[in-house]
Amino acid sequence: METLIISLVLGIISGLIASYMFLMLYLKKKRPVIEISNYISKIEYGGETNYLFKFINKTDSEIFDVRMEPTFYKPVGDFNGRNLIGKDITLKDNFSAYIPCDNEKDTHNLHAMRIRTTDDLEKDWTDESSFIRLTIIAKHSLSGLNKVFVKDFLSKDCITIKKFLSGNDLKVS
């Protein structure tokens, strides 16, 4: 009887450990993967100056509830050091309900997104210590797990009049 109880307890413990290991290894791979370009493309569109940010869904499946938040940060000094003052950059569309994964049949490259603002980024970027931070938050379609991606644009040099290349390329030409 005693060996039966020991076997039962060991079976339950080993089952819990195996389940935990499976969840950690499997679900760790089921998170969104996004790459963000190092450039901000400045183009004229519709009689307005537009600034474009580009990112690509590199996940093996779709992502959803994608929120994009660019913020302009400027350091300010105080008695105890430096703090940041943030100013939101208004995007034309800062939310995407669904972004597909890379697919050979997708001739429109819908997994590669460009988001735009008409805010004058160069006017606000007055000193070398200011920077723009683009934050993208997305959910994996199979696991539902979130991930936050952050890209800092540390210099005005990242703004270019060149256009983004199509598809999986994050470069400009």
Side-chain angles (χ1 to χ4, degrees), residues 7 13-14 17-18 24 28 30 38 40 47 71 86 91 96 99 109-110 113 116 120 132 134 162:
S7 298
I13 291 173
S14 64
I17 291 172
M24 288 298 107
K28 193 170 196 169
K30 295 299 178 193
N38 293 325
I40 301 172
T71 307
L91 292 176
S96 182
I99 299 175
N109 295 312
L110 295 175
M113 297 287 294
R116 70 182 176 105
D120 192 348
I132 293 174
L134 176 62
K162 297 177 180 178

Side-chain angles (χ1 to χ4, degrees), residues 63-81:
I63 56 176
F64 65 98
D65 290 345
V66 182
R67 180 160 312 281
M68 294 79 65
E69 300 172 354
T71 307
F72 183 76
Y73 285 104
K74 182 173 186 165
V76 291
D78 65 6
F79 295 116
N80 296 324

Side-chain angles (χ1 to χ4, degrees), residues 48-90:
E48 291 181 303
T49 301
N50 290 270
Y51 295 90
L52 301 172
F53 300 88
K54 182 177 178 181
F55 68 93
I56 298 173
N57 176 15
K58 293 284 196 172
T59 312
D60 58 357
S61 67
E62 299 83 12
I63 56 176
F64 65 98
D65 290 345
V66 182
R67 180 160 312 281
M68 294 79 65
E69 300 172 354
T71 307
F72 183 76
Y73 285 104
K74 182 173 186 165
V76 291
D78 65 6
F79 295 116
N80 296 324
R82 296 175 65 167
N83 292 321
L84 294 174
I85 293 179
K87 178 185 170 200
D88 290 339
I89 297 170
T90 308

Side-chain angles (χ1 to χ4, degrees), residues 1-172:
M1 181 72 166
E2 189 174 299
T3 57
L4 178 64
I5 293 174
I6 292 173
S7 298
L8 212 61
V9 170
L10 286 176
I12 291 172
I13 291 173
S14 64
L16 289 173
I17 291 172
S19 298
Y20 178 77
M21 296 291 287
F22 169 76
L23 285 175
M24 288 298 107
L25 293 175
Y26 179 74
L27 291 181
K28 193 170 196 169
K29 294 180 181 182
K30 295 299 178 193
R31 290 189 179 265
V33 179
I34 290 177
E35 289 184 14
I36 303 171
S37 176
N38 293 325
Y39 302 99
I40 301 172
S41 177
K42 178 182 174 182
I43 63 166
E44 292 295 322
Y45 179 74
E48 291 181 303
T49 301
N50 290 270
Y51 295 90
L52 301 172
F53 300 88
K54 182 177 178 181
F55 68 93
I56 298 173
N57 176 15
K58 293 284 196 172
T59 312
D60 58 357
S61 67
E62 299 83 12
I63 56 176
F64 65 98
D65 290 345
V66 182
R67 180 160 312 281
M68 294 79 65
E69 300 172 354
T71 307
F72 183 76
Y73 285 104
K74 182 173 186 165
V76 291
D78 65 6
F79 295 116
N80 296 324
R82 296 175 65 167
N83 292 321
L84 294 174
I85 293 179
K87 178 185 170 200
D88 290 339
I89 297 170
T90 308
L91 292 176
K92 290 298 180 181
D93 188 16
N94 68 345
F95 179 78
S96 182
Y98 166 81
I99 299 175
C101 59
D102 187 10
N103 186 342
E104 292 176 6
K105 296 177 185 175
D106 179 18
T107 58
H108 300 293
N109 295 312
L110 295 175
H111 68 287
M113 297 287 294
R114 294 177 190 165
I115 53 176
R116 70 182 176 105
T117 183
T118 55
D119 291 0
D120 192 348
L121 301 181
E122 292 171 297
K123 183 184 85 171
D124 292 336
W125 213 329
T126 56
D127 57 28
E128 293 297 317
S129 59
S130 299
F131 64 97
I132 293 174
R133 173 170 286 170
L134 176 62
T135 305
I136 300 174
I137 305 164
K139 281 186 184 178
H140 194 279
S141 65
L142 295 176
S143 68
L145 295 173
N146 288 341
K147 189 159 182 188
V148 177
F149 301 89
V150 176
K151 175 72 174 179
D152 289 339
F153 300 92
L154 301 175
S155 161
K156 273 188 190 182
D157 296 337
C158 64
I159 298 176
T160 180
I161 58 172
K162 297 177 180 178
K163 294 181 180 180
F164 285 113
L165 297 174
S166 182
N168 285 334
D169 204 335
L170 292 171
K171 295 186 176 97
V172 291

